[in-house]
Amino acid sequence: MFGLEPWQFMAAFGVTAFAGFVKGALGFAMPMIMISAFGSIMPAPVALAAMILPTLFTNIQQAVRDGRPAAVASAVKFRLHIAMVGIFICVSAGFAAVIPQWVMYALLGVPITLFALWQLSGRPLVLNLRHRRRAEGWSGVIGGLYGGISGIWGPPLIVYLLSVGTEKREQVRVQGVVFLIGAVVLTVAHLFSGLLNASTLPLSAVLCIPAFAGMMAGFALQDRLDVEQFRRWTLLLLVLTGLNLIRRAFDLWSL
């Protein structure tokens, strides 16, 4: 079944549905959940290929949920962050073979975890609106620098959106727009690299089904969460994201 044992396929189907649900509810963490679980049940290249189309598809869902005009408006509003991410992914990509990935994972995971724990402690960090544009630019620079080396550029955006008190629906929409750009690049890159091929492409395409179902269920939960609940669950997931990055840093360092 798509080159997998039946139990592997069913496990992948369930993991993808759960990852879609989390993404629908909070707007992020789908690739982290999928690659962490897939890496335990299938070869790493297949695991990466399997998550590409569901990630692309759900980011389109997320970005245009409120309509294409709203997605375009969010892209324009946060154009500085998006531009900085794109520029500095290109700048840092050339250093991917030079800087140890465990260093980058640790440098990203530790501050993200500390930020989320600080926010959860009841001492929120709110940026002065006079410095908002500067903070938006720097969050894009940081995200781009990390993205080119580690393939992870989302957490700095989430930290920035939480810090400036972005409205719930807009936060999820902006995350979708920014993540969609990266997902398109990733898809095109691996169509050329051969990772998405006649063997892996059907598996990745079929997994869009549970991703869609999970995403719709997650949207329903997101609509029921009030602002404080949404913020709290986002911060908790951010803590888990940061701890996962620290774990990956430790794993790579110990090799």
Side-chain angles (χ1 to χ4, degrees), residues 6-253:
W7 72 267
Q8 290 175 307
F9 176 74
M10 294 306 298
F13 203 90
V15 167
T16 304
F18 175 71
F21 173 76
V22 173
K23 183 169 177 60
L26 299 176
F28 69 108
M30 184 176 186
M32 180 189 74
I33 294 170
M34 291 178 73
I35 201 65
S36 297
F38 286 4
S40 302
I41 61 174
M42 62 183 77
V46 177
L48 179 56
M51 60 167 274
I52 289 176
L53 292 185
T55 300
L56 174 66
F57 181 72
T58 52
N59 278 318
I60 294 172
Q61 260 187 291
Q62 183 174 330
V64 302
R65 186 189 182 199
D66 298 320
R68 279 179 292 179
V72 171
S74 290
V76 171
K77 182 176 179 180
F78 291 90
R79 62 189 179 278
L80 178 59
H81 179 95
I82 294 170
M84 291 299 100
V85 166
I87 291 169
F88 282 90
I89 280 179
C90 297
V91 169
S92 64
F95 295 97
V98 179
I99 301 176
Q101 281 210 332
W102 74 266
V103 173
M104 297 305 298
Y105 285 137
L107 289 176
L108 186 59
V110 171
I112 284 171
T113 303
L114 292 176
F115 167 84
L117 290 172
W118 177 270
Q119 296 276 64
L120 285 168
S121 71
R123 292 169 286 186
L125 170 64
V126 179
L127 297 177
N128 189 315
L129 288 181
R130 290 182 303 162
H131 306 302
R132 177 170 177 164
R133 199 70 174 162
R134 187 185 308 167
E136 179 187 344
W138 276 110
S139 69
V141 170
I142 294 168
L145 288 173
Y146 280 107
I149 294 169
S150 67
I152 298 169
W153 60 87
L157 170 66
I158 299 166
V159 168
Y160 170 72
L161 294 175
L162 288 170
S163 298
V164 298
T166 306
E167 187 269 330
K168 179 181 71 172
R169 287 290 285 262
E170 183 171 39
Q171 176 174 326
V172 173
R173 184 169 62 250
V174 172
Q175 289 169 195
V177 170
V178 176
F179 297 163
L180 175 58
I181 294 169
V184 169
V185 172
L186 191 67
T187 303
V188 172
H190 286 305
L191 282 170
F192 281 99
S193 75
L195 194 69
L196 277 175
N197 52 47
S199 174
T200 58
L201 198 57
L203 172 62
S204 193
V206 166
L207 290 179
C208 289
I209 297 171
F212 174 80
M215 191 87 165
M216 295 306 293
F219 281 157
L221 176 60
Q222 181 199 132
D223 292 341
R224 296 173 66 90
L225 293 174
D226 61 34
V227 173
E228 277 306 309
Q229 289 174 320
F230 176 80
R231 184 180 181 83
R232 189 181 310 115
W233 281 109
T234 299
L235 288 168
L236 286 171
L237 191 53
L238 208 54
V239 169
L240 293 177
T241 301
L243 291 175
N244 185 58
L245 290 169
I246 295 170
R247 177 193 62 80
R248 292 175 70 180
F250 181 77
D251 288 345
L252 290 170
W253 173 77

